[in-house]
Structures are given as C-alpha cells and as structure tokens.
Amino acid sequence: MGQIILGVGDYGASNRPGEEVKTFALGSCVSVVLLDPKTRTVGMVHVALPESTINKAKSVEKPGYFADTGIPALLSEMAKFGCNPKGKGMVVKLCGGANVMDTNDTFQIGKRNALSIKKVLWKYGMGAVAEDLGGNFSRTVSVSVDTGEITLSSPGRPNWKL
Amino acid sequence: MTTKIDQDEIRKVIESVPMLSASATQLLQTTTDPDHDLIEIVRIVKTDATLTARVLKVVNSAAFGLINEITSLDRAISYLGERLIVGIAIGDCASQLFNKELKGYEGEHGDLWRHDLRTAIASREVVTQSNSTISPDLAFTAGLLHDIGKALISDYLHGTASAVLEKIENEEISDYLSAEEELIGFDHTRAVHELALVWKLPEAITEVIRFHHAPSEARDEFKELVYAVHLGDNIAMMGGCGTGADSMRYKLDNNYCQFMDLQPAALANVMLAVNDDFNKLERSFAEAGESN
C-alpha cells in the first residue's frame, strides 16, 4: 500500500485508491485532515505553531509550519486535485495538540495550535466534524484515501479510529 | 509482574555497558570547565584516531553541504563547535545504550538517541534565546546525557506501559517517574550515582541527570542549568520526540521563570530552531554512522 509520509510543517494530498497519508508522533503539533467527498481526495497538514507572525521567512519557506499559512497552503495543494480552493464541501478532522503535564500558558502550544486552526477554518466557513485533541500523549496519524477513516496510535495504547 | 531493583542491581547493569573512552571522559571534563580553550579540545581529539575519523566524517557529511572537503581536524572542530565534538565522542562510545530499544517504555530502536539529541539542541536554544548565563555548549552536553538512566532500567519495566498509562489517567499515580518508583523501586534519574562513578561524569552533568524532572531540588549552583534541560526535555517531547509511552507524562515545573525569561514568541522560535537543527544533525550523525 502506498504511503505519503509528512514531516513537521509538511502538507500533502492524494486521491490514489489504496494509498494513505501519514504523519508520525504529533506532540503539541496538530494534524489538519481535509476530506473531499466529491473528488475523493484526502489532504493533511502537520501544523507546529499557531501563528506565522513570529517568523515570516519561515512561513514562506515552509507554510505548513503555521496554522494561518498551513491551511491555505493545503487548500491550494488540494485544488490541484480538482477540489474547491475555498474548501467548500470538505470534511475536516483534527488530531494532536497534546500538552505536557501541569503546564503554564506559555507551554500550552498544543492548545493554542488547536484554537488558531479552528479560527482559520472558521474564516473559510469550515468546522471539524471529528477531533482527537489534547491530553498528555503523542499521536501517530494515518488517513485512508479509500475510506477517509483516520487510524491513531500511541505507544502503550491500543490503536483507535476517528 | 515486576521485580524491585536496588543500587546493587543497577551496578551490575552498569558493569555490563561499555565504558566511555578516555578521550570522551576528558572531553566531558574539559568542556564543563568554564575556563577551557578550543586548543585543548583539538589536543584531546588528536589522541584518538577513531574519534578523529568520526569528526571528519560528520563535518564532510552531505547534511552540512560543504563545497570543499575539510581535511584538517582543527578546521573541522572549529566548524562543528565543541558541543558536537562531545556529542560525537559520547554517541560513539555509548551507542549501545543510546540505541537500545526501550521495551519497558514501548519505545523503538533509536528513540532514546533521537530524544536525547533533540533535548540537547532544545536545551542549548533555551539558554541562547532566554539570555541565560549558562554556556550553550554545556546545556547541549547535559541534554544529551539527561535520560541515559532509561536505558539502564527499561528492561525491568517490560510489559508495564499500558497499566501505567491507565493509572496516570485515573490519577492513581501523578506521573511516569512516580510509576517507575512504584513498580521497580527505582526511577530513571536515580541510576546516576553509579554511572557517574564509572563514567567519571562532571558534577554539573550528574546533577542534570538526577534532577531534570525535579529541578527545584538541584543544588543552587546548578539550578539554572538543570531548569534549562528540564525545559529542553519537555520541548523535545512536545516536538513528538519522546522515548515511548512516557512521552509528555512528566510534570513541568513552572518555577523556571525565576531563572530564565522565555516568552511565548521566544518559545515558538526555540521550537522552530530545534526542528531545523535536529533534522540536520540527525542526518549528519546517521550518515557518519554515529547512531547506527
């Protein structure tokens, strides 16, 4: 089975039957998964930080790093597969955004990532139909192009679906 | 069922692991002395042919993308910086420990090395971007060694991970460190005394290994360094680089604010820099055969 593996700040899409789009070990990072039922395309971006204002140069080099530049970049990528460039008709799922224990505001990057992503999605009129966010554990996420189903795994836990 | 272990048992485990080479020990001791000079580093590396070859391999690896090959050791050391030289020396001697599959934590082969390398880079970035007085080189070395105790106790924790996670989620145990103590009577920071003796570790490094999850208990003179690695460790886990089931299952001590000024924007920049540098270093070490 073919796999598209995405690293931190990467985004990608596939409409190839049998393929899966995967990212490893999301800690405080969030994976935004977009499913387009019309074109049967699956897209994912591995967002590391909430806002690109902290490093504009980086957001040009790797827009997927930040929530505010990563989602538009993923939508542009999916438009190449015939999807609506504004995300119309797409299904959204979110995973990741964990935090370390007893953390203070500064270190709640997982929570801030999730909030920032939801704000950006809201601007497009999109909202998540399913989410697996927060907690104190890392997640590996893979999405099947055939079914749009997400399989999550984390060391010490049985796999689960979203 | 787990068995309780004690200092004698840990001593036996340590006796079965490789010693640090004379050059690695000397490098650790020299670089933790604030008054040392780069010339001393060059002198130590020159006495060790294997290390010299490794240093030249790393500097000339594709990850660094140098146009002209560096053949002089002096140039290689000044290009890589002393922290990488220490990293290469330790990584080489202790690769058996760093690359141990942490079955007790359900970690994979190479997870410990990746976590330690990422913590090393993150600890260095924390002191650099928070205007700390701690030497970035020292923070890097301490970060590299902070979790070595996990390789020593992992086998005794075999098969416990899912039960530990359940207990933490049900708030029966406060964090993974307490779980180690409860299960085997020994947590991964406590093996340090024996290891420090055998490896002749400098005091600053010993203190980091012992207190990186309880930085407020470190001796005053080392507190700032211990807090830096405490944050580096958490940042590495937040970046998805843990050692298995225990990842993100430790408490963050918010009193770091007394020692360093790390605002949200600075932390975001630390995380960006860590990711970029980690990818580069991991590749260069792998190409030079350090982490295999």
Side-chain angles (χ1 to χ4, degrees), chain B residues 207-225:
Chain B
E207 201 78 352
V208 166
I209 300 176
R210 180 69 185 95
F211 295 111
H212 67 273
H213 289 300
S216 62
E217 291 172 37
R219 274 178 283 168
D220 285 347
E221 57 192 299
F222 299 119
K223 248 182 194 145
E224 197 175 340
L225 172 68

Side-chain angles (χ1 to χ4, degrees), chain A residues 84-104:
Chain A
N84 183 292
K86 296 284 180 195
K88 207 175 163 188
M90 288 193 196
V91 174
V92 185
K93 294 184 183 181
L94 304 175
C95 310
N99 291 296
V100 289
M101 299 173 90
D102 284 1
T103 185
N104 62 9

